[in-house]
Amino acid sequence: MGSKAKKSGAEATEDLLETLGDFTSKENWDKFFTIRGTDDPFEWYAEWPYLRDPLLSHLPPNADGNAAPQLLIPGCGNSRLSEHLYDAGYTALTNIDFSKVVISDMLRRNIRLRPHMRWRVMDMTNMQLEDESFDAVIDKGGLDALMEPELGPKLGNQYLSEVKRVLKPGGKFLCLTLAESHVLGLLVSKFRLGWKMSVDSIPMKSSNKSSLQTFIVVVEKELSTSVHQITSLLQNSTLHCSSKQASGLHEALNNENQLREKYTSSSDILYSPEDLQGELTKLSPGRRFELTLGGQGCSVFTYHAVVLDAEEQADPFTYHCGVFIVPKTRAREWLFFSEEGQWMVVRSSKAARLIMVLLDTSHIKASMDEIQNDLSPLVKQLAPAENDNGAQIPFMMASEGIKERNVVHHVSSSLTGSIVVEDVIYENVDDEVSSIFPSRELVFRRLVFERAANLVQSEALLKDENSPTKLVSETGRKKTSSSSKSRKSGSQRQSSEARKQLAVYHGYAASSYHTGIISGFMLISSYMESVTSSGKMVKAVIIGLGAGLLPMFLHGCITFLEMEAVELDPTVVDIAKDYFGLVEDNRLKVHVADGIQFVREITSSAAGQIQENGTDSGYMESPSNGSSTSHASVGAGKVDIIIVDVDSSDPSSAMACPAPDFIDESFLETVKDKLSDQGLFIVNLVSRSQTIKDMVHLKMKKVFGHLFCLQLDEDVNEVHFALKSETCIEDSSFPEASIKLDKLFKFKHPEIGQNIINATKKIRRLK
């Protein structure tokens, strides 16, 4: 609260104005109380007759036979408030103030008349008092005095933390305040979880012409993390303040209550350590919180952290508390992104409490030493107090898993945003890949859409173009490393010489969800077998091209498959062709178009084919990439397979893939209509929310009678399959159908097909 407000609200005297330049200065207050003395009490905001009823109505009863309620008045000054409370029967009363002058004077004045009242010289922001020792803390202008706008919220924050600490469960904090925006903002945020709060106004003298109203904020401590709405007892007719003060208060309370409503209705809220201060001091086996750490001047960076208290175990824990840092490149892996995976990390860490910190793009330029130094003071406040022997909190880290990374291409698209193509060498690769392609170090090329929290969109193996069976090793990689600097600085193309040396190998599906998508073909393998036996082609539409790896892999291993790939962003098509070896032919066409509209235009006649003017109905051309805009292949009949693999353009969405429009009921009905009688619909679903997954299931169930799902190991992807036909393959026929599918594949390396067949064993029917 500013000095101007104190001058008018408390009718400060001339000596206050002369001696008090800083309301947080102990020396200034000592001087003030020396001048003023105890016979001339200084009262903030309101006199006892106006405070009596509001205060006493919130204090615990002082009935005979019960222990006297313990009351604390911080920043007591020479106010008569504590004397009035004592005389009202509340004798177990402790007064503290950091001014030795005023405490000495008040002790002398009250020692005979009020012998049980205690007076202590103490800083209210650092109280030497026991935890949970008071039934009520009564503040009369103390918080406002600490919250000088020029000084920021630091002292007020420290003070309220102390109030929370010393209050007993069920205890109350009664704060008399002018409720200025910066003060109220701190109050409501500090007492959000596990506290009940109400706000009321204090009656004023009718002759008091002050434009500032005094309010009483009452918060009650609970043993929970429940979030309650703030109860407003304000009546406009009783407010004597300016319309600006009243409207500002009402607006602040409404905004806070809206925020609290989100806390109660959502499981994805990121708390602050302050929200959970009382809860985090004790271990609670099986508990999990997500937090935002740092920021606002207390650290260089802000962090997203997950606090997990391990389940009880027979063997003692190695660590009382530990920190596990997950680098940005691994933050979306199943092991660290999913709750199930996180609990696996907790068990392997041997820590009673594990603080998992997920790094993001804001930390990319910081060294790990800088991150650890920045985090150290932040994680100390999250360590449980019990059994704490003062041992240092160990820092653990998930290996980034990448030995070498070179940016090959970086471009920005108006539709997709920032897109990166990078070549990486992993520290470890799957044994099956190493056995198929023996090499000292395999190199993978990755497509990354940075808008999707740097999710790796597609991934492919690289090989030496001059030797089809030899993949690029470290030796081959060094041949192109001379241009790595220009690539990192944003070069738009590799040199033609470098591009000729490397090529994507389309005979291996490096992305597990691609393997999962193809495994679903098992559900219609009998139909596919009959089509190829009759010399016809199976027709498929793939919505969402990415790097073009899925259609190129299918093109190589299923020779009777005719595909139309649809991509909205021509820049992505360019990248697929220039950096991932996408090639069109009579069995694979690429369209730059809206995927939903494309499916709607599929007809049983030639209506979707090229019109007389040479342009496709309803689709944009892309002269720059040479992609087809004709629907000739799919326009002549129904489609056997439709695959949706389109990420959401909204990074805040709980469903990263597909975009919401692709699971809209009207689109699903269109898909069903365009599929052949034995047709298969496949959706790649990426979501952490079980609610979202259930919603997608329900929407698909309304349209399709037979649904199946594949949960990929160590991944956030689920692949959903839907069959159009009324009759359906029985679960008992899955092994036979898998064998048929395996026979339809044409692989140079049979081991690659085995990955797909293994995935078919994990497909389950949805009820």
Side-chain angles (χ1 to χ4, degrees), residues 519-534 538 560 640 678 680 723 728-730 733-744:
S519 71
F521 290 10
M522 175 268 292
L523 297 169
I524 59 168
S525 59
S526 293
Y527 170 70
M528 294 174 67
E529 183 183 54
S530 65
V531 171
T532 185
S533 297
S534 64
V538 173
F560 55 88
D640 300 304
Q678 302 298 317
L680 173 66
L723 293 176
C728 177
I729 182 174
E730 297 294 333
S733 299
F734 281 10
E736 181 184 352
S738 296
I739 294 173
K740 287 183 179 180
L741 179 63
D742 192 26
K743 291 180 178 180
L744 295 174

Side-chain angles (χ1 to χ4, degrees), residues 681-696:
F681 178 49
I682 304 175
V683 178
N684 180 33
L685 174 62
V686 183
S687 177
R688 183 182 181 185
S689 169
Q690 187 59 47
T691 302
I692 293 292
K693 294 176 183 178
D694 292 342
M695 178 269 291
V696 172

Side-chain angles (χ1 to χ4, degrees), residues 709-736:
C709 177
L710 172 63
Q711 173 66 60
L712 300 174
D713 292 337
E714 296 193 6
D715 210 336
V716 296
N717 294 73
E718 280 187 359
V719 184
H720 285 242
F721 310 97
L723 293 176
K724 178 178 178 178
S725 63
E726 295 299 325
T727 58
C728 177
I729 182 174
E730 297 294 333
D731 293 10
S732 59
S733 299
F734 281 10
E736 181 184 352

Side-chain angles (χ1 to χ4, degrees), residues 254-274:
N254 287 336
N255 291 341
E256 175 64 18
N257 276 335
Q258 289 177 15
L259 177 62
R260 293 182 178 217
E261 178 63 29
K262 292 180 181 179
Y263 271 64
T264 57
S265 60
S266 174
S267 60
D268 299 326
I269 291 293
L270 292 179
Y271 299 114
S272 70
E274 189 59 47

Side-chain angles (χ1 to χ4, degrees), residues 468-540:
T469 59
K470 179 182 177 183
L471 297 184
V472 177
S473 66
E474 184 181 20
T475 305
R477 189 70 180 85
K478 288 178 179 177
K479 294 178 182 178
T480 64
S481 62
S482 60
S483 61
S484 62
K485 280 189 177 181
S486 64
R487 292 173 195 155
K488 287 185 178 181
S489 62
S491 63
Q492 296 300 299
R493 291 284 191 273
Q494 282 183 283
S495 67
S496 59
E497 181 181 352
R499 290 202 302 274
K500 288 178 181 178
Q501 292 175 350
L502 302 176
V504 168
Y505 179 62
H506 292 114
Y508 174 70
S511 297
S512 61
Y513 78 93
H514 284 168
T515 301
I517 287 173
I518 300 167
S519 71
F521 290 10
M522 175 268 292
L523 297 169
I524 59 168
S525 59
S526 293
Y527 170 70
M528 294 174 67
E529 183 183 54
S530 65
V531 171
T532 185
S533 297
S534 64
K536 297 180 181 179
M537 303 290 284
V538 173
K539 297 182 179 181

Side-chain angles (χ1 to χ4, degrees), residues 123-134:
D123 184 348
M124 61 200 290
T125 67
N126 185 22
M127 302 180 196
Q128 282 76 54
L129 299 170
E130 294 292 328
D131 294 355
E132 299 183 353
S133 53
F134 290 93

Side-chain angles (χ1 to χ4, degrees), residues 368-620:
M368 200 47 59
D369 286 341
E370 291 172 328
I371 293 292
Q372 185 170 332
N373 290 335
D374 196 40
L375 272 173
S376 291
L378 301 178
V379 297
K380 286 180 180 178
Q381 62 183 316
L382 302 181
E386 54 196 55
N387 302 321
D388 186 4
N389 57 9
Q392 279 194 325
I393 299 175
F395 277 77
M396 298 165 269
M397 182 176 175
S399 169
E400 193 174 15
I402 295 177
K403 296 176 67 173
E404 181 183 341
R405 175 192 287 109
N406 283 310
V407 175
V408 176
H409 182 58
H410 189 188
V411 67
S412 183
S413 161
S414 60
L415 291 175
T416 307
S418 181
I419 305 173
V420 174
V421 178
E422 58 186 16
D423 289 353
V424 300
I425 298 175
Y426 290 111
E427 292 177 350
N428 296 291
V429 295
D430 293 339
D431 292 339
E432 60 194 28
V433 185
S434 300
S435 62
I436 298 171
F437 309 110
S439 173
R440 280 198 298 125
E441 288 184 312
L442 300 177
V443 181
F444 292 80
R445 177 160 293 175
R446 313 197 308 183
L447 176 66
V448 180
F449 291 172
E450 293 190 334
R451 73 181 182 191
N454 291 278
L455 179 67
V456 176
Q457 195 76 18
S458 302
E459 185 173 62
L461 271 170
L462 294 182
K463 68 177 180 63
D464 187 329
E465 194 175 45
N466 297 320
S467 179
T469 59
K470 179 182 177 183
L471 297 184
V472 177
S473 66
E474 184 181 20
T475 305
R477 189 70 180 85
K478 288 178 179 177
K479 294 178 182 178
T480 64
S481 62
S482 60
S483 61
S484 62
K485 280 189 177 181
S486 64
R487 292 173 195 155
K488 287 185 178 181
S489 62
S491 63
Q492 296 300 299
R493 291 284 191 273
Q494 282 183 283
S495 67
S496 59
E497 181 181 352
R499 290 202 302 274
K500 288 178 181 178
Q501 292 175 350
L502 302 176
V504 168
Y505 179 62
H506 292 114
Y508 174 70
S511 297
S512 61
Y513 78 93
H514 284 168
T515 301
I517 287 173
I518 300 167
S519 71
F521 290 10
M522 175 268 292
L523 297 169
I524 59 168
S525 59
S526 293
Y527 170 70
M528 294 174 67
E529 183 183 54
S530 65
V531 171
T532 185
S533 297
S534 64
K536 297 180 181 179
M537 303 290 284
V538 173
K539 297 182 179 181
V541 170
I542 301 174
I543 303 175
L545 177 69
L549 299 176
L550 177 60
M552 287 299 292
F553 179 80
L554 291 171
H555 184 275
C557 68
I558 305 180
T559 56
F560 55 88
L561 188 64
E562 187 177 89
M563 291 172 287
E564 304 284 325
V566 186
E567 173 58 50
L568 184 63
D569 191 344
T571 302
V572 172
V573 177
D574 285 341
I575 291 173
K577 291 183 174 182
D578 293 346
Y579 295 95
F580 290 90
L582 174 67
V583 177
E584 294 183 77
D585 62 11
N586 63 338
R587 291 200 295 115
L588 173 57
K589 300 294 183 182
V590 177
H591 303 268
V592 176
D594 176 275
I596 292 176
Q597 188 65 26
F598 185 93
V599 173
R600 286 175 179 161
E601 291 291 327
I602 299 173
T603 66
S604 57
S605 65
Q609 298 183 29
I610 296 178
Q611 298 177 346
E612 291 182 4
N613 60 8
T615 61
D616 189 31
S617 175
Y619 302 109
M620 55 181 165

